[in-house]
C-alpha cells in the first residue's frame, strides 16, 4: 500500500534552515508528480511546492518563493524540501503527497519557527 513518511522537522529560530524528507513507497515514485503541503493550527492545508516526475519543473506558493526549494531523488524514492530564511509564519505540520493525491496521508513533520 501507499506509504508516505515525512521527517526532518524541528524547532528553528527565525532565519534558520531545515531540510525535510519524504520517503515514498507502494507506488512508482519516478512516474509520479509530487507536492509538499502544510497545515498551520486552525488553518486549511495549503500547497507549498510541487515538482514534476523527472524534477524538471517546480512551482511554489508565493509565500515561500525564493526561500524554499523542492527536489527529488527518484533512485531513492525520496522527496525533499529545503527551507531557508524561515519565518514564524512557516510554522506548520508539513506533508508530502502525490499529484493527484493519494487518500492516505503520512503523519507529517512539525516545523516550528520561534525565537
Amino acid at each position: 500500500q501507499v506509504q508516505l513518511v515525512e521527517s526532518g522537522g524541528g524547532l528553528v529560530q527565525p532565519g534558520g534552515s531545515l531540510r525535510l524528507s519524504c520517503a515514498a513507497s507502494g507506488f512508482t515514485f519516478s512516474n509520479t508528480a509530487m507536492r509538499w503541503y502544510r497545515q498551520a493550527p486552525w488553518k486549511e492545508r495549503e500547497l507549498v511546492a510541487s515538482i514534476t516526475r523527472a524534477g524538471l519543473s517546480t512551482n511554489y506558493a508565493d509565500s515561500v518563493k525564493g526561500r524554499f526549494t523542492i527536489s527529488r531523488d527518484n533512485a531513492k524514492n525520496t522527496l525533499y524540501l529545503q527551507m531557508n530564511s524561515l519565518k514564524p509564519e512557516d510554522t506548520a505540520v508539513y506533508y508530502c503527497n502525490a499529484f493527484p493525491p493519494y487518500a492516505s496521508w503520512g503523519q507529517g513533520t512539525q516545523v516550528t519557527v520561534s525565537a
Side-chain angles (χ1 to χ4, degrees):
Q1 70 275 22
V2 171
Q3 193 167 17
L4 299 163
V5 180
E6 301 90 348
S7 63
L11 173 63
V12 64
Q13 292 187 342
S17 298
L18 284 173
R19 189 194 195 202
L20 306 185
S21 298
C22 166
S25 60
F27 61 100
T28 307
F29 182 77
S30 59
N31 284 347
T32 307
M34 296 294 295
R35 291 181 166 183
W36 282 102
Y37 299 82
R38 69 185 180 186
Q39 187 166 20
W42 315 111
K43 292 189 176 181
E44 296 282 328
R45 186 173 292 170
E46 65 171 340
L47 175 64
V48 174
S50 59
I51 189 167
T52 53
R53 291 175 293 178
L56 297 180
S57 181
T58 58
N59 281 289
Y60 299 92
D62 287 342
S63 59
V64 307
K65 203 170 292 184
R67 301 187 297 120
F68 290 11
T69 302
I70 187 172
S71 62
R72 64 191 298 160
D73 186 336
N74 286 344
K76 295 182 178 179
N77 287 359
T78 302
L79 180 72
Y80 302 101
L81 186 68
Q82 178 66 44
M83 306 187 297
N84 298 329
S85 303
L86 283 161
K87 304 176 180 180
E89 51 263 44
D90 295 318
T91 295
V93 179
Y94 285 71
Y95 303 87
C96 64
N97 209 326
F99 180 75
Y102 289 105
S104 60
W105 292 73
Q107 82 288 348
T109 186
Q110 174 71 49
V111 172
T112 303
V113 185
S114 175

